[in-house]
Amino acid sequence: MRGLFASTCPPRQWRVTALELGPGGLRAAELSWLLACQNAADLADRPGEPPASPAELRGLLVPPYRGQRMLFAATDEAGGAAGWARLGLYEAFHRELAHAAITVHPSARRCGVGSALLDALTEAARALHRSRLVLDAPRTRASEAFAARHGLFIAGRDLRSRLDLRGIEVRGDEVAGSGFAGSEFRGNASHKHVTAIVQAVEGPGPQHARSRHARPAPDDGLLALHWKSRCPDDFLPGYVKALDCLHAAPTTAVPKPAGAMAALTSGPSPTPAPFSPFTCAEVRHRENAAMQAGLREYTACLIDRTTGRIAALSSAHTADGLRGEQNETVVVPEFRGRGLAVRIKAQLIRELMAAEPSLTMLDTYNAVDNHRMLAVNRRLGFRPIDTHAAWTLAL
């Protein structure tokens, strides 16, 4: 549902067809025109944004764990592409939801393409016994008008923030006692921007001694660990348990998953809803799906030396080596209040810069009421970009 701005053609009938996702995904020609449509929409709605890569698009099309992915294409009378939509159906959790997104090419907006695609999504969701359809989209006047016309309401909101990495460069030397690499200027780096990263990594000065997010002392019994793509087998059970802390009560201010997943869990609820715990099989599915799509994932964590448990973790991925996106950040409840959120995110940023030297930006999504994590992001130099909404339709 990205950008339905100025009318560019008279309303007419559109042909909406389901695209078949084979074992290897879409055919090259279909993937190519979906990508062209997506990038044209992004250029119109978010000028200046780097174009999506094929790997990013393939990552969006991978079926969820024990679920399925459905795709719909809208074409005109001549077969020209006008827009597309994706539908995710989960079985491991959120079984009552169908999660979706709609993209309309700028040349076909205000012509009924979005409405035709929405009809196809709702029909498919109802046929699979889902009670709610959730559309993820930037919150704009156009998306609000579209939602009002079709009876959708906002169930959650995420703030997208960005860290500009063009002014940061990793040195080979280590900060004394911290185990993390330092930072220095590169190009026209902002002094405040780089200093924010350095302070988060090196620890607070006297002026920050009482900060809630102050970095713990180096002898706090925590060991830094990181990996690329697959979690080591020895740490997999602990990694799964740490991920389950994403389901903790909102009063504990647990960081929520990025992007689309955050839209499903945003906002406080009067009574905690039952949840399905993560499993090792689900984690391996996510990892394999990312690798097959061409995404490079990185995870940083802090291990309690005494128990061997994961105290905090943070992960991110990149498809093209230029733009990255933050995934989950988790601090296990008994380790909260010690400044581990800022420490683990700083560790992840350091690992990303070392492994992906061409990376220029890192985006993250957080619920607008997740004030503690938003404060951590600000301290690390993230700046707000836009707001995304989970538009919900009762079926």
Side-chain angles (χ1 to χ4, degrees):
M1 195 166 56
R2 294 188 173 181
L4 303 170
F5 294 99
S7 179
T8 56
C9 66
R12 58 182 186 266
Q13 293 295 318
W14 301 96
R15 182 169 179 257
V16 177
T17 57
L19 299 178
E20 186 174 346
L21 276 170
L26 283 178
R27 293 175 301 206
E30 292 174 330
L31 184 70
S32 178
W33 77 253
L34 284 187
L35 185 63
C37 181
Q38 187 66 58
N39 284 332
D42 288 342
L43 181 63
D45 300 341
R46 299 188 290 184
E49 289 283 300
S53 69
E56 287 177 299
L57 185 57
R58 284 194 296 266
L60 293 175
L61 304 184
V62 173
Y65 176 65
R66 284 170 47 193
Q68 59 179 303
R69 179 80 63 198
M70 302 177 69
L71 299 179
F72 299 92
T75 57
D76 58 22
E77 297 87 344
W84 70 283
R86 67 180 188 271
L87 185 69
L89 301 162
Y90 300 93
E91 293 297 336
F93 54 91
H94 296 303
R95 294 180 181 175
E96 77 282 6
L97 297 179
H99 194 271
I102 297 175
T103 298
V104 178
H105 194 281
S107 65
R109 292 178 175 177
R110 289 293 182 93
C111 305
V113 177
S115 299
L117 288 168
L118 180 60
D119 289 342
L121 292 172
T122 55
E123 181 179 348
R126 287 192 180 109
L128 292 164
H129 311 292
R130 303 299 162 126
S131 60
R132 283 186 292 158
L133 178 70
V134 179
L135 286 174
D136 178 47
R139 193 176 185 188
T140 64
R141 290 183 180 178
S143 62
E144 289 185 354
F146 182 89
R149 287 197 302 272
H150 293 282
L152 291 95
F153 62 92
I154 293 180
R157 292 175 296 147
D158 284 347
L159 179 68
R160 181 171 68 122
S161 303
R162 173 170 295 168
L163 178 62
D164 184 355
L165 298 175
R166 289 172 295 184
I168 306 173
E169 183 172 327
V170 178
R171 291 200 306 260
D173 58 315
E174 298 291 316
V175 178
S178 73
F180 303 138
S183 301
E184 64 184 9
F185 293 115
R186 180 172 68 189
N188 297 320
S190 161
H191 179 74
K192 292 182 179 179
H193 179 86
V194 176
T195 300
I197 300 292
V198 175
Q199 287 179 342
V201 172
E202 292 182 331
Q207 71 272 27
H208 297 295
R210 298 181 181 273
S211 170
R212 178 190 299 273
H213 302 299
R215 190 182 70 79
D219 61 352
D220 59 3
L222 297 176
L223 174 68
L225 178 73
H226 69 273
W227 63 79
K228 179 182 178 181
S229 299
R230 288 175 64 86
C231 173
D233 290 340
D234 291 344
F235 289 97
L236 183 58
Y239 180 56
V240 170
K241 289 182 180 179
L243 287 175
D244 276 336
C245 295
L246 290 166
H247 299 294
T251 53
T252 58
V254 183
K256 299 180 181 180
M261 280 298 296
L264 299 181
T265 56
S266 296
S269 62
T271 56
F275 69 90
S276 299
F278 284 90
T279 66
C280 294
E282 181 178 356
V283 169
R284 290 301 190 217
H285 169 85
R286 290 171 46 171
E287 293 170 343
N288 292 334
M291 288 188 288
Q292 290 173 5
L295 301 179
R296 301 190 292 277
E297 289 195 313
Y298 298 89
T299 302
C301 63
L302 294 171
I303 308 293
D304 181 27
R305 293 176 185 269
T306 303
T307 64
R309 296 179 57 202
I310 293 179
L313 66 89
S314 189
S315 64
H317 68 264
T318 180
D320 55 10
L322 299 175
R323 176 174 55 181
E325 184 172 317
Q326 176 100 43
N327 301 327
E328 301 97 345
T329 296
V330 183
V331 178
V332 174
E334 51 264 48
F335 292 94
R336 291 173 187 165
R338 298 169 57 179
L340 298 190
V342 71
R343 178 176 172 182
I344 193 61
K345 292 195 78 164
Q347 178 186 336
L348 176 67
I349 292 167
R350 194 269 291 184
E351 300 297 346
L352 277 171
M353 290 189 296
E356 302 283 349
S358 298
L359 206 64
T360 61
M361 63 187 71
L362 180 65
D363 286 357
T364 185
Y365 295 80
N366 299 96
V368 294
D369 58 355
N370 193 348
H371 302 297
R372 293 185 180 181
M373 186 53 63
L374 293 176
V376 167
N377 290 340
R378 287 194 297 270
R379 182 177 172 188
L380 289 168
F382 284 89
R383 296 293 178 261
I385 298 295
D386 54 24
T387 303
H388 287 236
W391 299 98
T392 303
L393 178 67
L395 300 177

